[in-house]
Amino acid sequence: MRIIYLKIHEADASGGLLNGLTLSLDRATRGGNDSLSTLCLVGPNGSGKSQLLQTLAEIFQDAWHTHSPGEERTDTNNGLMFELIYDIEDETGRRQQVKLSRVSPQKRRAPIRMDTRALGSWTEVQADNPLYGKRLPPVIVGYTSGDNETLSLPFFKSRAAYAKDVSSAALDLGRKSVEVPDSKLLLIDYGTNLEVLIANLMLGPKDLGERMLEHAGLEGISSWRCVIQLSPTSISKTNPVNGRRGVKLTDELEGILVRLRACSTSQHHEESTDTYTLDYYADEATRLAFRELWRDASDLYRSFHKFAMLNDLAIQKKARSRLARDLKRRNFATRLPEPQDEQKVFRFEEVRFHPKSGGEPVDYVALSDGEHQQAQIFGVFSMITEVNALFLLDEPESHFNPQWRVKFISRLRSIPVQRNTSREMIMTSHAPFVPSDMQREHVIILKKSDEGVIARNPVNETFGASFDRILKDCFDIEPPISQVAQNEIGRLMREEDADEIEKALPRIGASVEKAFLVDHLNQLKLKDL
């Protein structure tokens, strides 16, 4: 898929920051692999980059809720007034243009309208028409790496609704055997990275596993532990259903638990807390067992993720109720509540890897944030290969060192996955590295003004441009040196004592500004002749 146009008339989510924002995107294909359409949002802090990602997630969440409340069960952001146009690959592989909108101020709680374009005219698609769902992205993946949880809000709401639906279905004997539909929104953050990593390393292609771990000097997973705790002290005990007094599982989740136990190298069940401790030695026999019971890495990941979403049930009921009220009022803290590890329904422990240099296995916690982040990003893109999938990534390279940042886009495009799927990636960045690998029409600069947030493409071509040029054009940084050094060079440029400038020069690194300072020194020396 590919976003073409967005007009935000009113968005409560950002406190009015994005009201009036218009994006008109002309991203012509210039050859090469177009299976992954990319768009990079840059600009200073507070310019609305994360809020824009959040708004896009909420638009599609709301559209899915309009079409199928059983798949996206959440009370969506009905105060959002917008027009969004995108193209999507249809069942025949052709591009189909789609418009989603809610523009009537008298109908803020109206369902989202869908229109499709053919022969130059728009035709409305009714919400109960199966075509409505086929013209939406099948999955919306959100990624956040830091403390800014703006993007996380719609994904958190989706996760909480799924956990509540599972709990209700398990108590209803009439629904217990019915598979609870998957949510359309998937959030990938530090709390879910092991779900991604283990699924890929157990069932993904070998060359992908090597690519995910090469930067950390590792060559494969050695062993790991999975803990499923269905009756922690944080969850109130009720009358047993199928022997379970804490978290009640649907038949689907009971089946996943049976399969996980069948694949384990060793296991232990603690009856008092209904806790399953499953240990896995990652040898070929274990991988064969997983291949027999799961289709692929994506299937295994979704099984992990369904259990992980039940961790919301470990949050105290009082806190969940307070949070639900805050979410309804759109008043929420920067960090969403997270249960302690010992209270979680699902978690991983003791994940260890084989180092390339040999020796004892390395524990996962010993890896750096950048190593975690790179493995996680690569894993997500290798697993989520559905046609028309949408990825919303908030600073995905924030923990990378400069060398990794330079190679980020090229490494992302080299992931060994199917190449004939049309996917869209929209990401934010505060660095020049990503824009330098993108054409200018794929880079959007957001900047606040008296009229609101203004969006524009860079004036100059960004693809292949030097970082100095991108810092100037996209971030208004000129010269590209830090402020303390800039102030000192400025002071010396006003200095008339040649000896003082000469003494200071060895302490200043190479730059255009230093060259100007040397010229200033030479001019002073000429005056003294």
Side-chain angles (χ1 to χ4, degrees), residues 38-54:
T38 55
L39 186 69
C40 183
L41 309 177
V42 301
N45 290 330
S47 59
K49 299 185 299 299
S50 299
Q51 289 86 347
L52 182 53
L53 294 185
Q54 175 193 344

PDB file of all heavy atoms in Angstrom, residues 38-54:
ATOM      1  N   THR A  38       8.494   3.563   1.337  1.00  0.00           N
ATOM      2  CA  THR A  38       9.032   4.178   2.546  1.00  0.00           C
ATOM      3  C   THR A  38       8.745   5.668   2.576  1.00  0.00           C
ATOM      4  O   THR A  38       8.741   6.343   1.545  1.00  0.00           O
ATOM      5  CB  THR A  38      10.553   3.965   2.640  1.00  0.00           C
ATOM      6  OG1 THR A  38      11.171   4.451   1.442  1.00  0.00           O
ATOM      7  CG2 THR A  38      10.897   2.512   2.839  1.00  0.00           C
ATOM      8  N   LEU A  39       8.517   6.168   3.788  1.00  0.00           N
ATOM      9  CA  LEU A  39       8.299   7.586   4.013  1.00  0.00           C
ATOM     10  C   LEU A  39       8.936   7.941   5.347  1.00  0.00           C
ATOM     11  O   LEU A  39       8.719   7.245   6.345  1.00  0.00           O
ATOM     12  CB  LEU A  39       6.798   7.900   4.040  1.00  0.00           C
ATOM     13  CG  LEU A  39       6.392   9.367   4.119  1.00  0.00           C
ATOM     14  CD1 LEU A  39       6.743  10.072   2.807  1.00  0.00           C
ATOM     15  CD2 LEU A  39       4.899   9.498   4.400  1.00  0.00           C
ATOM     16  N   CYS A  40       9.742   8.998   5.379  1.00  0.00           N
ATOM     17  CA  CYS A  40      10.443   9.388   6.595  1.00  0.00           C
ATOM     18  C   CYS A  40       9.990  10.783   7.031  1.00  0.00           C
ATOM     19  O   CYS A  40      10.032  11.734   6.246  1.00  0.00           O
ATOM     20  CB  CYS A  40      11.961   9.384   6.370  1.00  0.00           C
ATOM     21  SG  CYS A  40      12.917   9.767   7.856  1.00  0.00           S
ATOM     22  N   LEU A  41       9.542  10.891   8.285  1.00  0.00           N
ATOM     23  CA  LEU A  41       9.130  12.163   8.865  1.00  0.00           C
ATOM     24  C   LEU A  41      10.271  12.708   9.717  1.00  0.00           C
ATOM     25  O   LEU A  41      10.756  12.023  10.618  1.00  0.00           O
ATOM     26  CB  LEU A  41       7.889  11.983   9.737  1.00  0.00           C
ATOM     27  CG  LEU A  41       6.694  11.250   9.113  1.00  0.00           C
ATOM     28  CD1 LEU A  41       5.582  11.104  10.130  1.00  0.00           C
ATOM     29  CD2 LEU A  41       6.201  11.979   7.872  1.00  0.00           C
ATOM     30  N   VAL A  42      10.712  13.920   9.432  1.00  0.00           N
ATOM     31  CA  VAL A  42      11.779  14.547  10.192  1.00  0.00           C
ATOM     32  C   VAL A  42      11.298  15.905  10.692  1.00  0.00           C
ATOM     33  O   VAL A  42      10.300  16.445  10.215  1.00  0.00           O
ATOM     34  CB  VAL A  42      13.075  14.710   9.358  1.00  0.00           C
ATOM     35  CG1 VAL A  42      13.573  13.370   8.861  1.00  0.00           C
ATOM     36  CG2 VAL A  42      12.847  15.656   8.186  1.00  0.00           C
ATOM     37  N   GLY A  43      12.037  16.445  11.637  1.00  0.00           N
ATOM     38  CA  GLY A  43      11.678  17.738  12.191  1.00  0.00           C
ATOM     39  C   GLY A  43      12.024  17.802  13.659  1.00  0.00           C
ATOM     40  O   GLY A  43      12.360  16.790  14.279  1.00  0.00           O
ATOM     41  N   PRO A  44      11.962  18.979  14.265  1.00  0.00           N
ATOM     42  CA  PRO A  44      12.334  19.134  15.675  1.00  0.00           C
ATOM     43  C   PRO A  44      11.351  18.429  16.612  1.00  0.00           C
ATOM     44  O   PRO A  44      10.235  18.063  16.209  1.00  0.00           O
ATOM     45  CB  PRO A  44      12.298  20.654  15.880  1.00  0.00           C
ATOM     46  CG  PRO A  44      11.355  21.158  14.830  1.00  0.00           C
ATOM     47  CD  PRO A  44      11.527  20.256  13.662  1.00  0.00           C
ATOM     48  N   ASN A  45      11.766  18.261  17.860  1.00  0.00           N
ATOM     49  CA  ASN A  45      10.867  17.710  18.868  1.00  0.00           C
ATOM     50  C   ASN A  45       9.631  18.596  18.996  1.00  0.00           C
ATOM     51  O   ASN A  45       9.721  19.829  18.942  1.00  0.00           O
ATOM     52  CB  ASN A  45      11.568  17.638  20.227  1.00  0.00           C
ATOM     53  CG  ASN A  45      12.651  16.584  20.252  1.00  0.00           C
ATOM     54  OD1 ASN A  45      12.558  15.577  19.563  1.00  0.00           O
ATOM     55  ND2 ASN A  45      13.691  16.803  21.027  1.00  0.00           N
ATOM     56  N   GLY A  46       8.480  17.952  19.168  1.00  0.00           N
ATOM     57  CA  GLY A  46       7.246  18.715  19.337  1.00  0.00           C
ATOM     58  C   GLY A  46       6.591  19.147  18.053  1.00  0.00           C
ATOM     59  O   GLY A  46       5.596  19.880  18.080  1.00  0.00           O
ATOM     60  N   SER A  47       7.115  18.684  16.907  1.00  0.00           N
ATOM     61  CA  SER A  47       6.532  19.090  15.626  1.00  0.00           C
ATOM     62  C   SER A  47       5.409  18.168  15.168  1.00  0.00           C
ATOM     63  O   SER A  47       4.836  18.387  14.098  1.00  0.00           O
ATOM     64  CB  SER A  47       7.619  19.169  14.554  1.00  0.00           C
ATOM     65  OG  SER A  47       8.259  17.913  14.391  1.00  0.00           O
ATOM     66  N   GLY A  48       5.099  17.127  15.934  1.00  0.00           N
ATOM     67  CA  GLY A  48       3.943  16.290  15.632  1.00  0.00           C
ATOM     68  C   GLY A  48       4.234  14.998  14.904  1.00  0.00           C
ATOM     69  O   GLY A  48       3.312  14.338  14.413  1.00  0.00           O
ATOM     70  N   LYS A  49       5.509  14.577  14.846  1.00  0.00           N
ATOM     71  CA  LYS A  49       5.845  13.355  14.102  1.00  0.00           C
ATOM     72  C   LYS A  49       5.177  12.133  14.732  1.00  0.00           C
ATOM     73  O   LYS A  49       4.513  11.358  14.047  1.00  0.00           O
ATOM     74  CB  LYS A  49       7.370  13.172  14.061  1.00  0.00           C
ATOM     75  CG  LYS A  49       8.103  14.308  13.380  1.00  0.00           C
ATOM     76  CD  LYS A  49       9.591  14.042  13.257  1.00  0.00           C
ATOM     77  CE  LYS A  49      10.280  13.873  14.606  1.00  0.00           C
ATOM     78  NZ  LYS A  49      10.187  15.077  15.464  1.00  0.00           N
ATOM     79  N   SER A  50       5.379  11.934  16.039  1.00  0.00           N
ATOM     80  CA  SER A  50       4.789  10.770  16.705  1.00  0.00           C
ATOM     81  C   SER A  50       3.271  10.851  16.694  1.00  0.00           C
ATOM     82  O   SER A  50       2.578   9.837  16.537  1.00  0.00           O
ATOM     83  CB  SER A  50       5.307  10.670  18.144  1.00  0.00           C
ATOM     84  OG  SER A  50       6.707  10.505  18.180  1.00  0.00           O
ATOM     85  N   GLN A  51       2.737  12.069  16.867  1.00  0.00           N
ATOM     86  CA  GLN A  51       1.278  12.235  16.852  1.00  0.00           C
ATOM     87  C   GLN A  51       0.692  11.888  15.493  1.00  0.00           C
ATOM     88  O   GLN A  51      -0.420  11.367  15.402  1.00  0.00           O
ATOM     89  CB  GLN A  51       0.908  13.676  17.227  1.00  0.00           C
ATOM     90  CG  GLN A  51       1.136  14.025  18.685  1.00  0.00           C
ATOM     91  CD  GLN A  51       2.560  14.486  18.967  1.00  0.00           C
ATOM     92  OE1 GLN A  51       3.456  14.329  18.135  1.00  0.00           O
ATOM     93  NE2 GLN A  51       2.772  15.051  20.136  1.00  0.00           N
ATOM     94  N   LEU A  52       1.445  12.155  14.422  1.00  0.00           N
ATOM     95  CA  LEU A  52       0.965  11.804  13.086  1.00  0.00           C
ATOM     96  C   LEU A  52       0.903  10.288  12.912  1.00  0.00           C
ATOM     97  O   LEU A  52      -0.064   9.748  12.359  1.00  0.00           O
ATOM     98  CB  LEU A  52       1.862  12.431  12.024  1.00  0.00           C
ATOM     99  CG  LEU A  52       1.473  12.193  10.562  1.00  0.00           C
ATOM    100  CD1 LEU A  52       0.021  12.573  10.307  1.00  0.00           C
ATOM    101  CD2 LEU A  52       2.400  12.959   9.631  1.00  0.00           C
ATOM    102  N   LEU A  53       1.926   9.587  13.411  1.00  0.00           N
ATOM    103  CA  LEU A  53       1.882   8.125  13.361  1.00  0.00           C
ATOM    104  C   LEU A  53       0.694   7.598  14.161  1.00  0.00           C
ATOM    105  O   LEU A  53      -0.011   6.679  13.726  1.00  0.00           O
ATOM    106  CB  LEU A  53       3.186   7.540  13.909  1.00  0.00           C
ATOM    107  CG  LEU A  53       4.474   7.808  13.132  1.00  0.00           C
ATOM    108  CD1 LEU A  53       5.630   7.042  13.773  1.00  0.00           C
ATOM    109  CD2 LEU A  53       4.341   7.421  11.672  1.00  0.00           C
ATOM    110  N   GLN A  54       0.484   8.173  15.340  1.00  0.00           N
ATOM    111  CA  GLN A  54      -0.646   7.757  16.171  1.00  0.00           C
ATOM    112  C   GLN A  54      -1.968   7.974  15.440  1.00  0.00           C
ATOM    113  O   GLN A  54      -2.856   7.108  15.450  1.00  0.00           O
ATOM    114  CB  GLN A  54      -0.658   8.537  17.482  1.00  0.00           C
ATOM    115  CG  GLN A  54      -1.874   8.254  18.357  1.00  0.00           C
ATOM    116  CD  GLN A  54      -2.036   9.243  19.487  1.00  0.00           C
ATOM    117  OE1 GLN A  54      -1.100   9.972  19.814  1.00  0.00           O
ATOM    118  NE2 GLN A  54      -3.212   9.306  20.067  1.00  0.00           N
TER     119      GLN A  54
END
